[in-house]
Amino acid sequence: MGRRSGILEFAVLGLLRESPMHGYELRKRLNTSLGVFRAFSYGTLYPCLKTLVVNGWLIEEPGSAPEDAVSAALAGRRAKIVYRLTAEGKEHFEELLSQTGPDTYEDEHFAARFAFFGQTSRDVRMRVLEGRRSRLEERLEKMRASLARTRERLDDYTLELQRHGMESVEREVRWLNELIESERAGRDLKGSVSGEPASLDTTTGATGGLPRSGDSSRPDTPDDTAT
């Protein structure tokens, strides 16, 4: 399983743990509540859902509203399919939540993991946050060393761009320090780490964006039927 597909599967399972949804609802949640997925093409979602169904982690159910089925029949379309998390899917998601390996410190994985910190145990949150901080501190040290070696050869604009990148990493390190301090003090963050999953914007700053797998400017058309 590729890194990006693994992140998407993780997010889909997490959202469906909250409530069953049809594909269009999932697409909107991935794009709005979990802004980290704005760069994913819509064509990646339904194959992901099919894979999760085959693995036994999701089941497909017909839409519950009778008018939906009638309208779909009159229009010659299939009714909306609702995706529901199975007991095996919930167990698998909880297993993923407990993982704290090096992948969880990387830009894409960390953003998705942080969005579901409200469903993650405190000790796991601490390990992920501390691992992420360590990874960024290593990155910052390399950036400073590189800048020191090349400063004299850079023009003003390139130099300013490198400084901007360093400041972004430094800001995230300070943010992580505050989160870790709160976790150690036994405090939960309102809005970000409790209740609804947080929306972590990773299109700018130190966390970076997800690699693009399609055109994120494609309009959000309501294709609610199964593939």
Side-chain angles (χ1 to χ4, degrees), residues 52-160:
L52 296 176
V53 169
V54 170
N55 289 340
W57 298 329
L58 302 181
I59 57 173
E60 298 177 331
E61 298 177 338
S64 57
E67 58 270 19
D68 286 348
V70 173
S71 299
L74 292 174
R77 296 184 291 107
R78 290 176 290 176
K80 294 177 182 178
I81 289 179
V82 173
Y83 295 90
R84 182 185 299 275
L85 196 65
T86 64
E88 292 80 4
K90 182 179 180 181
E91 182 178 347
H92 178 62
F93 179 68
E94 290 173 349
E95 179 183 343
L96 294 176
L97 278 180
S98 68
Q99 295 178 1
T100 59
D103 276 353
T104 64
Y105 314 150
E106 300 297 339
D107 295 342
E108 304 93 347
H109 274 274
F110 176 75
R113 288 298 303 267
F114 188 85
F116 291 97
F117 262 21
Q119 303 180 41
T120 307
S121 64
R122 189 182 302 277
D123 62 321
V124 171
R125 292 198 301 260
M126 280 291 295
R127 288 198 294 272
V128 173
L129 290 172
E130 290 175 339
R132 174 65 176 174
R133 181 177 62 181
S134 177
R135 183 61 49 86
L136 289 184
E137 287 173 342
E138 292 173 3
R139 184 182 302 176
L140 190 58
E141 183 178 348
K142 291 178 180 178
M143 293 173 74
R144 287 170 176 160
S146 175
L147 184 60
R149 289 194 305 269
T150 60
R151 182 187 299 273
E152 300 301 325
R153 300 195 300 271
L154 300 177
D155 61 55
D156 291 342
Y157 293 100
T158 304
L159 185 61
E160 191 61 30

Side-chain angles (χ1 to χ4, degrees), residues 175-197:
W175 175 67
L176 289 166
N177 286 335
E178 293 173 358
L179 290 175
I180 291 169
E181 182 181 350
S182 295
E183 292 289 346
R184 285 176 176 165
R187 298 192 300 268
D188 286 332
L189 302 182
K190 293 183 178 179
S192 293
V193 187
S194 61
E196 286 292 314

